[in-house]
Amino acid sequence: MKIATAAEHYAGMKAKAEQKINSLQEKTLIRVGAATCGLAAGAQKVKDTFVEEIKHKGLDAEIIEVGCMGHCYAEPMAIISKPGFPALCYGHMDEGLAKLLVEEFLGNDDPCYEYALVALEPNDIFPTFSDFPRDAYEKKIILEHCGFIDPEDIDHYLAREGYASLVKTLQMKPEEIISAMVDSGLRGRGGAGFPVGKKWTICRNTPSEIKYIICNADEGDPGAFMDRSVLESNPHQVIEGMLICAYAVGATKGYIYVRNEYPLAVQRVKTAIEQARKKGLLGSAILDSTFSFDLEVFEGSGAFVCGEESALINSMEGKMGVPQARPPYMAVSGFWGRPTVLNNVKTFAYVTAIIKKGAGWFREIGTEATPGTAVFTLVGKVANTGLVEVPMGTTLRQLVFDIGEGIPNDKEFKAVQIGGPSGGCLPEETLDIPIDFDSLEKAGAIMGSGGLVVLDEDDCMVAIARYFLEFTQQESCGKCTFCRLGTKHMLDILTRITQGKGSLADLDILQELAEDIKMGSLCNLGKTAPNPILTTLRYFRDEYEAHILEGRCPARMCKDLILYYIVPEKCTKLCNVCVGSCPVEAIYTREDGLKAIDQEKCVKCDNCLKTCPPEHNAVIKLSPPVLPEE
Amino acid sequence: MPLLEGEEEIICNSVTDILGKLGTSREKLIPVLQQVQNKLGYLPTLAMHKIAENMKIPAVDVYGIATFYNQFRLNPPGKHQFKVCMGTACYMVGGNIALDSFERRLSIKEGETTPDREFSLERVACVGCCTLAPVVLVDEEVEGHVTPTRVDGILLTFETNGEKKTEEGTEEEGGSEV
């Protein structure tokens, strides 16, 4: 009896939502991509222009904000669905294009195909996403709805069978849910890859009146933004996953721990929670069942180490975010000493999909040891930057060269940096390893949260290693001596090397320190902090040696080892661009009319090199910093 | 950073206010600091001392929390804030060059505020628009592909706007006299 009501209750809710969405689609619908990335690129202005122009022309159209579609290189984006035309997506939008589209497409039935990027549905006129090379590799589970639904309106999610998994869950026994998780082989996507089924089983089997669920959205890696993107584009899928988890382990209270640096994500999650509560999907007696669960947002104060689970819980309890030794595990004694399941944003999003489509379906995707997909933020020196979701087992080469479409500007590929500050730099010869937790660890990197930065010939590996170490050194909480002092010592050595003051003995000390820090640190921040150095030492030792022995930076990136020089043969006497561009007046005109740089004054800001007209290209960087004889 | 005239009173009043609302038990320390910062824009040394005194905890514990979490700042924010992105993608294409230019032009280091409290400079980790790298947030507006020349341009805009405002101000004053 009770079960029937839950399903009926849901069916009514869904029918209403579908009706609302269908009525939206009867007239022209404009969806503007307004996640942080889109807004940064100017989506707000585009949306305002649409609103203004449509009002001005007296047209009948609906404009909504959606999340991120993952094609960051083409932001800001907008999707226009006009009855009678395939839904068309436009990239690189600006106010002018918005104005043109309202006039020509909405007003005159000319879709301006020359500006369109892609069509959303198969049609006879325009290519769709399936015609993109990256589509052959992509498999979207988490990002399925991102960029197509309005994250601030629960009806959009409901109309796409949202919360159906919750209804299914309520008809199952908690043990069945947990065994489905075990069968699916889902591993936590926070970085360490702990089996989700195992964690939930431990929590379920620990007797306690109160249990907690915490969603870890404290995404602190520089260069990784998939958790933010998911929360901004489709928060309900995460909330649904948390509900399923709560039902399975017997928890009644949950928190979403979001960084306060993500104001838009915080706001959208709060809106989503509010709307779910109104619909009876959160709170007491969910969908008229006996199951109760409520959610709250906790805003993190911004400390990288708080991504570590025991540190996160400490900070929620109002203390410094310092990790603790384990066991006891969080699933036994976590928040306020109660059993707590702590999973990443993506993990909860997978849970929803697994319950909907079954553990067997999930196992089919990806590899044997790591089923499912991996979400990456593909950034750096790659043509198509963006958010991609590929099955585990895809190779790095496919990711960089097929999906990312290679290195722009005819540059030479050098390495991929995977896993953020705790990850490593992998060179060309490792590109054919399949992506999963274990293979990457074997190569010296880690899966991490999924930041993937492509580096080309202009990037100095020593400087990159130093950059990441500087980050972890600053973010070290200071509890373990090796992490606190060891990283500082390593940073000093690396700084010396980038200044050309290193010695070969330094490399041995680096190696030794790295291994000691790995051993002597309590949490994963310390255990993984030396990874960038270890991998660069392993794969790019020649670059370290060039810095030390020759005082030369092969990538011409380290400031102390380069100088800027104007090649007299290339310099034309007729232009003054470099002189004007110099912020410190270091460039002067010689007696023969050519330009030259006063090395004493030069601050190596790169301005003259950028401004020198491409037909001359007279400014070059020299390393080691020795002026050629004339 | 020296306090402005009348600032001491504002600080004392705000702290008393917030402590009155939230209470003085130890687990309220973070929320109290968050609210004080929301009110004043930063955590002045004086405020931290007052909080420690009222909560009966050592001042070093307050300072510990304030410096542990990145959210808290100990310098007053400038009227205009520059946040230079130092995410991986920005660093790779010259984020540090942009930061250097700001430091050189404003004669302050990152994390500091100019003595007239007009500008403050910070570095932030990834703002999430890696395709526009290097990126600088100018009062929450995103500036993409920032070169040293663009830094000069940004500062020049503020300078000329500032001059315009002062001119308008003097004109108004002149008008009232007549």
Side-chain angles (χ1 to χ4, degrees), chain A residues 36-37 40-41 72-73 222-223 225 228 260 299-303 305-306 315 318-322 379 381 385 453 455 459 463-464 467-468 470 475 477 557 559 583-584 603 605-607 610, chain B residues 26-27 29-30 34 60-61 64-65 68-72 86-89 91-94 96-97 100-101 104-105 110 123 125-132 141-142 146-150 152:
Chain A
T36 299
C37 39
C72 302
Y73 59 91
F225 51 85
R228 191 207 70 212
N260 77 325
E299 286 177 53
S301 287
V305 71
C306 286
S315 92
K319 299 180 229 156
M320 275 195 226
V322 177
V379 294
K381 310 280 178 65
T385 52
V453 187
L455 309 173
D459 296 316
I464 301 294
Y467 164 78
F468 283 112
E470 190 181 18
E475 293 293 338
C477 76
M557 191 174 168
K559 250 187 176 183
V584 290
V603 289
C605 71
D606 210 40
N607 236 3
K610 282 211 179 90
Chain B
R26 170 73 204 245
E27 75 257 24
L29 179 56
I30 295 179
Q34 280 175 335
V60 68
D61 281 12
I65 295 279
F68 186 88
Y69 293 103
N70 295 331
Q71 184 190 356
F72 301 116
M86 277 296 195
T88 320
Y91 175 77
M92 233 59 86
V93 287
N96 51 339
I97 293 177
D100 280 352
S101 308
R104 194 169 50 240
R105 283 291 180 216
E110 49 133 332
R123 58 188 280 173
C126 201
V127 288
C129 24
C130 306
T131 40
L132 303 175
E141 280 276 314
V142 175
V146 178
T147 59
T149 331
R150 184 69 201 122
D152 292 350

Side-chain angles (χ1 to χ4, degrees), chain A residues 288-583:
Chain A
D288 298 330
S289 70
T290 50
F291 169 55
S292 298
F293 179 72
D294 209 359
L295 260 181
E296 231 176 87
V297 172
F298 186 95
E299 286 177 53
S301 287
F304 180 64
V305 71
C306 286
E308 206 279 342
E309 49 185 20
S310 58
L312 184 146
I313 282 170
N314 266 342
S315 92
M316 280 179 69
E317 291 174 359
K319 299 180 229 156
M320 275 195 226
V322 177
Q324 283 165 352
R326 281 165 295 168
Y329 291 100
M330 295 300 120
V332 176
S333 169
F335 191 40
W336 298 122
R338 303 289 188 168
T340 305
V341 170
L342 207 149
N343 277 132
N344 177 267
V345 172
K346 289 167 294 226
T347 316
F348 282 121
Y350 281 118
V351 168
T352 309
I354 291 170
I355 294 299
K356 188 189 266 172
K357 297 184 180 169
W361 162 82
F362 190 73
R363 265 224 171 267
E364 296 277 293
I365 304 163
T367 62
E368 182 62 34
T370 319
T373 56
V375 184
F376 286 105
T377 43
L378 194 56
V379 294
K381 310 280 178 65
V382 62
N384 286 348
T385 52
L387 204 58
V388 293
E389 184 171 359
V390 292
M392 290 281 181
T394 308
T395 65
L396 284 168
R397 192 181 298 280
Q398 286 166 333
L399 203 56
V400 175
F401 289 96
D402 295 334
I403 298 172
E405 292 184 14
I407 318 295
N409 307 328
D410 293 325
K411 297 277 183 178
E412 209 44 54
F413 170 89
K414 190 184 256 179
V416 283
Q417 206 288 335
I418 186 166
S422 330
C425 298
L426 302 179
E428 170 91 40
E429 62 262 30
T430 57
L431 278 186
D432 289 311
I433 60 167
I435 297 166
D436 62 55
F437 289 102
D438 310 310
S439 321
L440 285 176
E441 204 166 323
K442 227 175 276 164
I446 61 161
M447 185 84 183
S449 54
L452 200 149
V453 187
V454 182
L455 309 173
D456 72 6
E457 55 185 291
D458 292 338
D459 296 316
C460 170
M461 300 314 289
V462 185
I464 301 294
R466 195 193 156 276
Y467 164 78
F468 283 112
L469 194 72
E470 190 181 18
F471 180 83
T472 29
Q473 192 267 325
Q474 274 171 4
E475 293 293 338
S476 167
C477 76
K479 182 168 181 162
C480 310
T481 317
F482 279 101
C483 179
R484 183 180 67 243
L485 298 176
T487 52
K488 179 84 182 94
H489 194 35
M490 281 174 91
L491 184 63
D492 288 344
I493 295 176
L494 282 175
T495 308
R496 260 200 336 261
I497 295 177
T498 55
Q499 289 167 344
K501 297 176 194 155
S503 71
L504 281 180
D506 280 343
L507 297 185
D508 299 329
I509 300 176
L510 276 180
Q511 185 84 31
E512 202 178 306
L513 273 171
E515 278 154 22
D516 290 347
I517 293 170
K518 264 177 177 271
M519 233 168 6
S521 301
L522 191 59
C523 79
N524 272 333
L525 186 143
K527 280 189 202 304
T528 57
N531 279 349
I533 292 94
L534 285 175
T535 46
T536 44
L537 270 177
R538 178 166 154 195
Y539 298 117
F540 299 98
R541 201 181 176 90
D542 54 324
E543 287 202 22
Y544 281 89
E545 285 168 355
H547 281 77
I548 294 169
L549 298 175
E550 302 167 48
R552 177 174 67 91
C553 174
R556 296 187 188 92
M557 191 174 168
C558 296
K559 250 187 176 183
D560 294 298
L561 302 183
I562 55 167
L563 62 77
Y564 285 79
Y565 176 65
I566 298 175
V567 184
E569 294 78 35
K570 286 187 176 175
C571 178
T572 166
K573 294 175 182 175
L574 303 170
C575 95
N576 257 331
V577 180
C578 54
V579 177
S581 77
C582 183

